[in-house]
Amino acid sequence: MRAAVSKSFPKTKKDVVVEFRREMIFEAAAKAFGRAGYEATSVDAIAAEAGIGKGTVYLYFASKAEIYLSTTMHELNKIHAETVRRFAVLSSCKEKIELFIRIRLEYVESHRDFCRIYISEFGSAVTQPDPIQKQLRKMRLRQADLLTNAISDGIAAGEIRQLPARSAAFLITDVTRGLLERRVLGGSKSYPGEDLRAILDLLWNGLKGGTP
Amino acid sequence: MRAAVSKSFPKTKKDVVVEFRREMIFEAAAKAFGRAGYEATSVDAIAAEAGIGKGTVYLYFASKAEIYLSTTMHELNKIHAETVRRFAVLSSCKEKIELFIRIRLEYVESHRDFCRIYISEFGSAVTQPDPIQKQLRKMRLRQADLLTNAISDGIAAGEIRQLPARSAAFLITDVTRGLLERRVLGGSKSYPGEDLRAILDLLWNGLKGGTP
Amino acid sequence: MRAAVSKSFPKTKKDVVVEFRREMIFEAAAKAFGRAGYEATSVDAIAAEAGIGKGTVYLYFASKAEIYLSTTMHELNKIHAETVRRFAVLSSCKEKIELFIRIRLEYVESHRDFCRIYISEFGSAVTQPDPIQKQLRKMRLRQADLLTNAISDGIAAGEIRQLPARSAAFLITDVTRGLLERRVLGGSKSYPGEDLRAILDLLWNGLKGGTP
Amino acid sequence: MRAAVSKSFPKTKKDVVVEFRREMIFEAAAKAFGRAGYEATSVDAIAAEAGIGKGTVYLYFASKAEIYLSTTMHELNKIHAETVRRFAVLSSCKEKIELFIRIRLEYVESHRDFCRIYISEFGSAVTQPDPIQKQLRKMRLRQADLLTNAISDGIAAGEIRQLPARSAAFLITDVTRGLLERRVLGGSKSYPGEDLRAILDLLWNGLKGGTP
DNA sequence: TATGAATGAGGCTTCATTCAT
DNA sequence: TATGAATGAAGCCTCATTCAT
């Protein structure tokens, strides 16, 4: 039994292995869930994708629901962390909004598998088992908060007009999701750059506001 | 899918009965799917909700997937039709956009059960079986087209500035979905009116454009 | 939905079918459990033994545990009922004890399959899941009570000497179980009649008491 | 099974270690099996109880079934040996019978964990895999033989009347098991002493016999 | 036409056993 | 020698679908 204190620092070899395995499974699960969604994905499929035995999965996760939730949180945390990190060096609200969207677009490009989760689960949170739903909602709020803060700052700085920051933040997250969705589903024939530029332009005009 | 026109004119009594039964099942399915999502809803549950036998459901639909798709399309068609109908009497783009959103908000209020489908399935379309996905995508495009046209008209009329109508249309549909989602999930504590007004304001400013 | 009143009398056709099916499964379950015990018997095996599909079993029983408990109670009830019925025409305690044992011996002969449950589960009650254990214990007590009463009556009638009726009753049930066990496992080479006669003689002498 | 004598005289150090380890596991297994029965006890649980690795268990036992059988035999051998040892100093049959039961009652008190095995497995022997069953039956016969001999001696000595010694012996073992069972399951509210005295009295009267 | 009993494939999870370290 | 991570067979149970009535 490892004492509470030792927990943070001296990673035992076992800890490393466990972390490695979990990461492996995260990746496989992201792919598998991304392909078919929560219900339609079997634990078998995840194990196969990870190239390990089905039983092995249960050494690292207690249940299918936990795999799902952990995988989703793991990825969302990464995106969140990167957003926070890169926000730090920016001062203007405009730049932050653009970066917010751009990070997610990049993510979608480089994580074709997981992005489907990113997109669909925010949406279909409606139908998930309850504990999962709660967590997902929390993550979503946390994401919106990044923007809410940026916008509030922008308002304070006179960069944008007086408006309800939170509503604006949600508007941006919603639009971002739609953008990603069209990228992934290929519904939009426009070059992503074009679509993005148009969206940003619209957003920005909306935020800056029609000063008569 | 039976197009109303396609089959020779006089609807037989049988056709009427069939239509009636299907309608019944649509309603029940909307409620049931809305409660729990596609996978977690059993055909049994739908039959029970409709007050008929499970076997009977299969006389009117070939499979669970078909029930789902048909139900979804049925509802979306109703929304679409109403939108078209009410667009007809409006001329300004601004009014149309507002109406587009308002119709959907009203819908959510009066169809608490089905609206979860409306919301989640646009999102989780990503993870549906392929034929379902295709149909849903088509519906989504058709919906966006209503706005695209309205916007194009607005541009032509000089009501709003020159901008890619399609991108703007998608932006509106995405924002609308987010709005509904927050209504249903109760994540937003703001009065719906407030949130809506803020969103409309933002949209409109974005569309009208920053005339310096 | 059948009203509460109608429950006892007019057996619907469905009730009959259900009863029939349950009986079928009881029989199969008795055989299967008898062969291998609770844990080692699969629901599949029971279904196969009954000649029906696995899913069908679950139309009549909620779980494996319920099958087990119901089957056991069903059989034990039959034995109990017969004992009660045949006790009614007897007056002497001696006869009752002999009948008690004889009924169970007959049962073992004619129900080779279930008798293993009868025997082992009284014994291995120790290791069953809790709700099962409780029920089994109750059945066992009920069985012993039949004898306790008979013995009390015998004491009152001066037929046997003063002694703790309950302890004596348990002694008889224990001995009976052992007798059956040896019959079923074939461990005893003595003719059953001999063993039985010896046991009865011992019991009777024990109960009647050493008249000096 | 390693008979102490069979292998050349000088026990190697290895033999000692092996014996030690097996003993450790016996103890742990007795506790674990006693808690939950054969099927519901995992090898993991046994290893944990013994404070060793799961793999280690398999260095000393070939399978779970072997652990079970060995453990049971180990305990039964201890009881048997003690019975033999303490029988040696007694001459009357009556004393021996009383001692036989008393030893087992004491055992139950001091080995709360294993006693459940002692009780249930004689009973559920019916449902064990065959090789286990055979061994258990043998142990049971050996146990009964102790009593058979004592009774035969008693008859020869005129201490008790002429009767089938073997049947009487079984009767005693059966009654003993029942006694223990009630102790462990707590079904009997009578003080154990009372129950025991009543049983002994009954037995003795039965054996000594009805003097006409 | 309407029904729901019957079915069995398939899903999640556990656990005895093996084997590389 | 000791370990425990890895495995996959096997178990319980659900549910979409069929079919005899």
Side-chain angles (χ1 to χ4, degrees):
Chain A
M1 189 82 50
R2 297 168 36 57
V5 194
S6 62
K7 212 169 167 186
S8 57
F9 187 56
K11 254 193 222 170
T12 65
K13 197 169 69 183
K14 196 188 129 176
D15 285 342
V16 174
V17 172
V18 166
E19 208 45 51
F20 175 72
R21 276 277 189 268
R22 283 180 66 100
E23 204 82 32
M24 253 179 79
I25 297 173
F26 281 149
E27 212 156 311
K31 258 183 224 173
F33 282 131
R35 262 198 298 275
Y38 180 73
E39 299 279 359
T41 298
S42 72
V43 174
D44 252 334
I46 296 171
E49 182 74 50
I52 62 180
K54 189 183 3 175
T56 309
V57 171
Y58 282 90
L59 294 178
Y60 299 96
F61 296 91
S63 67
K64 182 182 168 183
E66 207 219 292
I67 301 172
Y68 184 76
L69 190 53
S70 295
T71 302
T72 305
M73 306 253 288
H74 183 74
E75 294 296 317
L76 295 183
N77 278 334
K78 284 199 303 197
I79 299 174
H80 183 79
E82 180 167 355
T83 308
V84 169
R85 189 173 58 72
R86 289 169 64 182
F87 264 29
V89 301
L90 300 181
S91 51
S92 90
C93 171
K94 189 179 182 184
E95 285 171 317
K96 284 181 182 167
I97 291 170
E98 192 171 333
L99 179 63
F100 182 91
I101 299 177
R102 203 177 291 280
I103 284 177
R104 281 151 185 80
L105 267 177
E106 284 166 14
Y107 183 82
V108 158
E109 294 303 332
S110 57
H111 296 75
R112 275 283 152 160
D113 22 315
F114 175 70
C115 72
R116 298 178 105 93
I117 283 191
Y118 178 87
I119 293 166
S120 81
E121 299 322 334
F122 274 102
S124 72
V126 198
T127 56
Q128 293 304 323
D130 216 52
I132 294 190
Q133 249 190 73
K134 280 224 176 96
Q135 275 294 336
L136 289 180
R137 200 176 308 177
K138 220 192 272 184
M139 302 295 278
R140 198 159 36 163
L141 289 179
R142 196 181 59 168
Q143 179 187 229
D145 282 344
L146 285 179
L147 289 170
T148 306
N149 291 337
I151 292 168
S152 294
D153 292 350
I155 295 171
E159 191 187 352
I160 58 181
R161 66 187 166 103
Q162 195 79 26
L163 46 69
R166 184 158 254 261
S167 289
F170 279 133
L171 184 147
I172 295 172
T173 58
D174 293 336
V175 167
T176 305
R177 178 174 63 191
L179 207 59
L180 302 189
E181 221 172 283
R182 290 194 292 287
R183 283 296 292 149
V184 172
L185 297 176
S188 161
K189 273 130 210 160
S190 57
Y191 295 107
E194 252 181 79
D195 203 13
L196 173 59
R197 221 172 313 122
I199 295 285
L200 284 173
D201 172 63
L202 270 162
L203 281 177
W204 191 244
N205 269 286
L207 293 170
K208 202 179 47 180
T211 32
Chain B
M1 188 79 45
R2 304 173 23 61
V5 201
S6 70
K7 220 168 186 177
S8 59
F9 191 60
K11 254 193 218 169
T12 65
K13 198 169 73 180
K14 195 181 123 182
D15 284 341
V16 175
V17 171
V18 165
E19 208 47 49
F20 175 71
R21 276 278 192 260
R22 284 180 65 102
E23 201 83 29
M24 255 178 75
I25 297 173
F26 283 150
E27 211 157 311
K31 260 184 220 174
F33 283 130
R35 264 197 296 275
Y38 181 74
E39 298 281 356
T41 298
S42 69
V43 175
D44 249 337
I46 295 171
E49 182 75 47
I52 61 178
K54 191 181 9 173
T56 310
V57 171
Y58 280 89
L59 294 178
Y60 299 96
F61 296 90
S63 67
K64 183 181 166 184
E66 207 221 292
I67 302 172
Y68 184 76
L69 186 54
S70 296
T71 302
T72 305
M73 305 253 288
H74 184 74
E75 294 295 317
L76 295 183
N77 277 333
K78 284 199 302 194
I79 299 175
H80 183 79
E82 181 169 357
T83 308
V84 169
R85 189 172 59 73
R86 289 169 67 181
F87 264 28
V89 301
L90 299 181
S91 52
S92 90
C93 170
K94 189 178 181 184
E95 284 170 317
K96 284 182 183 166
I97 290 171
E98 193 170 331
L99 180 64
F100 181 92
I101 298 179
R102 205 176 290 281
I103 285 176
R104 281 152 185 81
L105 267 177
E106 283 165 14
Y107 183 81
V108 159
E109 294 303 331
S110 57
H111 296 73
R112 274 283 152 163
D113 22 314
F114 176 69
C115 73
R116 298 178 106 93
I117 285 192
Y118 179 86
I119 294 166
S120 81
E121 301 320 335
F122 274 101
S124 71
V126 198
T127 56
Q128 293 305 322
D130 219 52
I132 294 191
Q133 245 189 77
K134 281 224 176 93
Q135 276 295 338
L136 289 179
R137 200 176 309 174
K138 219 190 273 183
M139 302 295 279
R140 199 159 36 164
L141 289 179
R142 196 181 58 168
Q143 177 188 231
D145 283 344
L146 285 178
L147 289 170
T148 308
N149 291 337
I151 291 168
S152 295
D153 291 351
I155 295 172
E159 190 188 355
I160 59 180
R161 65 187 168 103
Q162 195 79 28
L163 44 70
R166 184 159 255 262
S167 289
F170 278 133
L171 183 146
I172 295 170
T173 59
D174 292 337
V175 167
T176 304
R177 178 174 61 190
L179 207 59
L180 302 188
E181 219 172 284
R182 290 195 290 288
R183 282 296 293 150
V184 172
L185 297 177
S188 162
K189 273 134 210 154
S190 57
Y191 295 107
E194 256 183 75
D195 204 12
L196 173 59
R197 224 172 310 123
I199 295 286
L200 285 173
D201 173 64
L202 272 162
L203 283 176
W204 190 244
N205 270 286
L207 292 169
K208 203 179 47 179
T211 32
Chain C
M1 190 83 51
R2 298 168 34 55
V5 193
S6 62
K7 214 169 165 187
S8 56
F9 187 58
K11 256 192 219 169
T12 64
K13 198 168 70 183
K14 197 188 130 176
D15 285 341
V16 174
V17 172
V18 165
E19 208 46 50
F20 176 72
R21 276 275 189 268
R22 283 181 66 101
E23 203 83 32
M24 252 180 80
I25 298 173
F26 281 150
E27 212 156 310
K31 258 184 222 174
F33 283 130
R35 263 198 297 277
Y38 180 74
E39 298 280 0
T41 298
S42 71
V43 174
D44 253 335
I46 295 171
E49 181 73 48
I52 61 180
K54 189 187 358 176
T56 309
V57 172
Y58 282 91
L59 294 179
Y60 299 97
F61 297 91
S63 68
K64 182 182 166 182
E66 208 221 291
I67 302 172
Y68 183 76
L69 191 52
S70 295
T71 302
T72 305
M73 305 253 289
H74 184 74
E75 295 295 317
L76 294 183
N77 277 334
K78 284 199 304 196
I79 300 175
H80 182 78
E82 181 168 356
T83 308
V84 169
R85 189 173 59 73
R86 290 170 65 183
F87 265 28
V89 301
L90 299 181
S91 52
S92 90
C93 170
K94 189 178 181 184
E95 285 170 316
K96 285 181 181 166
I97 292 170
E98 193 171 332
L99 180 63
F100 182 92
I101 299 178
R102 203 176 291 280
I103 285 177
R104 282 151 185 79
L105 267 178
E106 284 165 14
Y107 184 82
V108 158
E109 293 304 332
S110 57
H111 296 74
R112 275 283 153 162
D113 22 314
F114 176 70
C115 73
R116 298 177 106 93
I117 284 192
Y118 179 86
I119 293 166
S120 81
E121 299 322 334
F122 273 101
S124 70
V126 199
T127 55
Q128 293 304 325
D130 217 51
I132 294 190
Q133 247 189 75
K134 281 223 173 97
Q135 275 295 337
L136 289 180
R137 200 176 307 176
K138 221 192 272 186
M139 303 295 278
R140 198 160 35 164
L141 290 179
R142 197 182 57 168
Q143 178 188 228
D145 283 343
L146 285 179
L147 289 170
T148 307
N149 291 338
I151 291 168
S152 295
D153 292 349
I155 294 172
E159 189 187 353
I160 58 181
R161 65 189 167 102
Q162 196 78 27
L163 46 70
R166 185 158 253 262
S167 290
F170 279 133
L171 184 147
I172 294 171
T173 59
D174 293 337
V175 167
T176 304
R177 178 173 65 191
L179 207 60
L180 302 188
E181 222 172 283
R182 289 195 291 287
R183 282 298 291 151
V184 172
L185 296 177
S188 162
K189 272 132 211 156
S190 58
Y191 295 107
E194 255 183 73
D195 204 11
L196 174 58
R197 223 171 312 124
I199 295 286
L200 284 173
D201 173 63
L202 271 162
L203 282 178
W204 190 244
N205 271 286
L207 292 170
K208 203 180 45 177
T211 32
Chain D
M1 186 81 43
R2 302 173 25 62
V5 200
S6 70
K7 219 168 187 177
S8 61
F9 191 59
K11 256 193 220 170
T12 65
K13 197 169 71 181
K14 194 181 123 182
D15 285 341
V16 174
V17 170
V18 166
E19 208 47 48
F20 175 72
R21 275 277 192 263
R22 285 180 64 101
E23 201 83 32
M24 255 178 75
I25 298 172
F26 282 149
E27 211 156 311
K31 258 183 222 175
F33 282 130
R35 264 198 297 274
Y38 181 74
E39 298 281 357
T41 299
S42 70
V43 175
D44 248 338
I46 296 171
E49 181 75 48
I52 62 179
K54 190 179 12 172
T56 310
V57 171
Y58 280 89
L59 294 178
Y60 298 97
F61 296 90
S63 68
K64 184 182 165 183
E66 207 220 294
I67 302 172
Y68 184 76
L69 186 54
S70 295
T71 302
T72 305
M73 305 253 289
H74 184 73
E75 293 295 317
L76 294 184
N77 277 333
K78 284 199 303 195
I79 299 175
H80 183 78
E82 182 169 354
T83 308
V84 169
R85 189 173 58 72
R86 289 169 65 181
F87 264 27
V89 301
L90 299 180
S91 52
S92 91
C93 171
K94 189 178 182 185
E95 285 171 316
K96 284 180 182 168
I97 291 170
E98 192 170 333
L99 180 63
F100 181 91
I101 299 178
R102 206 176 289 281
I103 285 177
R104 282 152 184 80
L105 267 178
E106 285 166 13
Y107 183 82
V108 158
E109 295 302 333
S110 57
H111 295 74
R112 275 281 152 161
D113 24 314
F114 176 70
C115 72
R116 297 179 107 91
I117 286 192
Y118 178 86
I119 292 166
S120 81
E121 300 321 335
F122 273 100
S124 71
V126 197
T127 56
Q128 292 304 322
D130 217 53
I132 293 191
Q133 248 188 75
K134 281 225 174 94
Q135 276 294 337
L136 288 179
R137 200 177 308 176
K138 218 191 274 183
M139 303 296 278
R140 198 159 37 162
L141 290 179
R142 196 181 57 170
Q143 177 188 232
D145 283 343
L146 284 179
L147 288 170
T148 307
N149 291 338
I151 291 169
S152 295
D153 293 349
I155 294 172
E159 190 187 353
I160 58 180
R161 66 189 168 101
Q162 195 78 27
L163 45 68
R166 184 159 255 260
S167 290
F170 279 133
L171 183 147
I172 295 170
T173 59
D174 293 337
V175 167
T176 304
R177 178 174 62 191
L179 207 59
L180 302 188
E181 221 172 283
R182 290 194 291 286
R183 283 297 290 151
V184 172
L185 297 177
S188 160
K189 273 131 209 156
S190 58
Y191 294 108
E194 252 183 80
D195 203 14
L196 173 59
R197 221 171 313 123
I199 296 286
L200 284 173
D201 173 64
L202 271 162
L203 282 177
W204 190 244
N205 268 285
L207 292 169
K208 203 180 45 175
T211 33

